């Protein structure tokens, strides 16, 4: 069920902080969408909640957020279980080990970081078992592409040349849905050339797979540039939730 704010709730300063931060980010998104001339195709906002408590996710649900992102399986699984009564879509956005596939498919709506054939096959096998057990919907899969100039780019992702084979693998499994491409702009560089490159990769992908129109790109520091180059999914963390809490 959707979270609703009780009419007589006590004042919650953290909720009000999140409300203000979320409103500011939405204004930035609206401005970027208008500047890009795409008001009929606004991107989906995914709020990245890693290291923040489940209570913050509950507050975000009160504020109308339905999509949340996590990058560690254990943390994501625990939050998803605790908040199972809310209508949330969980997006796994971090590097994923193949042996975590069985866990991730139990809660994730989408995985944004498929970067190798081994992982695609592990997710397919895990989904076959999970669909037989629960009948859940197919798992949306984004191919993470490295946009770093060097092959060992520390942001992670498959090389652009490897995208077609990965796409064919994902498209060939009934439990998986090839959703599109994902990337993180390289550190310390103008994100525009990287996102332009990602848009070109997306166009080539959709020529062979017309349904794979998703472009997962854009974070707090570069969402305007991502929207300019066609991002359909934004992954925003710190500008909404603030600094990560100290680890205990």
């Amino acid at each position: 069920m959707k979270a609703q704010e009780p009419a007589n709730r006590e004042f919650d300063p953290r909720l009000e902080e999140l409300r203000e931060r979320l409103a500011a980010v939405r204004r930035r998104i609206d401005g970027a969408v208008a500047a890009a001339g795409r008001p009929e195709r606004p991107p989906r906002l995914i709020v990245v909640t890693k290291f923040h408590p489940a209570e913050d996710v509950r507050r975000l649900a009160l504020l109308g957020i339905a999509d949340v992102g996590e990058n560690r399986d254990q943390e994501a699984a625990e939050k998803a279980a605790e908040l199972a009564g809310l209508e949330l879509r969980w997006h796994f956005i971090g590097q994923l080990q193949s042996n975590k596939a069985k866990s991730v498919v139990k809660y994730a709506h989408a995985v944004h970081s498929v970067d190798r054939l081994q992982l695609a096959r592990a997710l397919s096998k895990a989904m076959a078992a999970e669909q037989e057990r629960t009948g859940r919907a197919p798992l949306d899969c984004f191919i993470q592409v490295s946009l770093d100039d060097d092959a060992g780019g520390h942001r992670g992702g498959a090389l652009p040349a490897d995208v077609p084979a990965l796409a064919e693998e994902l498209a060939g499994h009934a439990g998986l849905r090839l959703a599109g491409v994902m990337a993180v702009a390289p550190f310390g560089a103008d994100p525009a050339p990287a996102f332009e490159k990602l848009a070109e990769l997306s166009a080539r992908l959709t020529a062979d797979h017309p349904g794979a129109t998703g472009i997962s790109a854009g974070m707090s520091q570069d969402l305007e540039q991502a929207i300019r180059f066609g991002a359909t999914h934004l992954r925003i963390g710190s500008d909404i939730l603030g600094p990560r809490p100290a680890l205990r």
Side-chain angles (χ1 to χ4, degrees):
M1 63 178 180
K2 292 184 178 180
Q4 294 182 343
E5 295 188 52
N8 59 345
R9 65 173 174 82
E10 294 183 6
F11 179 74
D12 179 353
R14 176 59 170 164
L15 178 65
E16 297 312 311
E17 177 191 4
L18 292 177
R19 192 193 306 276
E20 292 176 7
R21 286 177 168 272
L22 180 61
V25 167
R26 289 200 184 280
R27 285 194 294 271
R28 286 177 62 193
I29 294 172
D30 290 345
V33 166
R38 46 175 291 197
E40 75 287 352
R41 295 181 294 112
R44 175 177 294 184
L45 173 60
I46 301 167
V47 181
V48 180
T49 55
K50 61 183 180 182
F51 304 127
H52 291 273
E55 280 307 305
D56 274 352
V57 183
R58 194 181 299 278
R59 292 181 177 100
L60 289 168
L62 287 172
L63 298 173
I65 291 297
D67 294 272
V68 291
E70 290 284 339
N71 73 341
R72 299 192 305 174
D73 171 60
Q74 182 176 348
E75 181 179 357
E78 290 174 356
K79 287 180 183 175
E82 182 174 345
L83 303 172
L86 302 179
E87 294 180 3
L88 297 172
R89 289 183 291 265
W90 295 89
H91 297 254
F92 192 88
I93 62 174
Q95 298 304 114
L96 181 60
Q97 296 177 329
S98 297
N99 62 3
K100 298 292 187 180
K102 289 182 181 179
S103 174
V104 167
V105 301
K106 294 182 186 302
Y107 61 82
H109 165 79
V111 172
H112 291 240
S113 50
V114 181
D115 58 359
R116 60 198 186 280
L117 292 173
Q118 181 186 11
L119 176 56
R121 291 164 183 160
L123 288 170
S124 173
K125 182 177 179 180
M127 275 297 299
E130 188 66 14
Q131 285 187 314
E132 183 176 353
R133 187 175 72 87
T134 66
R136 63 153 291 171
L139 177 72
D140 281 1
C141 293
F142 293 80
I143 298 174
Q144 183 175 357
V145 186
S146 173
L147 299 179
D148 292 276
D149 291 334
D150 62 302
H154 50 265
R155 289 288 212 175
L159 295 177
D162 295 333
V163 170
L166 258 175
E168 289 298 324
E169 183 71 28
L170 291 169
H173 296 287
L176 308 179
R177 190 182 80 84
L178 175 59
V181 291
M182 176 275 222
V184 181
F187 279 121
D190 180 1
F195 290 148
E196 184 176 19
K197 181 179 179 181
L198 186 64
E200 293 168 355
L201 288 168
S202 173
R204 292 202 290 270
L205 177 65
T206 55
D208 294 325
H209 302 276
T213 57
I215 300 178
S216 174
M219 299 190 296
S220 293
Q221 68 273 19
D222 55 26
L223 70 87
E224 286 87 358
Q225 295 280 38
I227 292 172
R228 175 186 167 195
F229 289 102
T232 62
H233 295 68
L234 304 173
R235 310 180 307 273
I236 310 298
S238 59
D239 274 13
I240 294 174
L241 286 151
R244 297 173 182 173
L247 297 178
R248 296 180 179 178

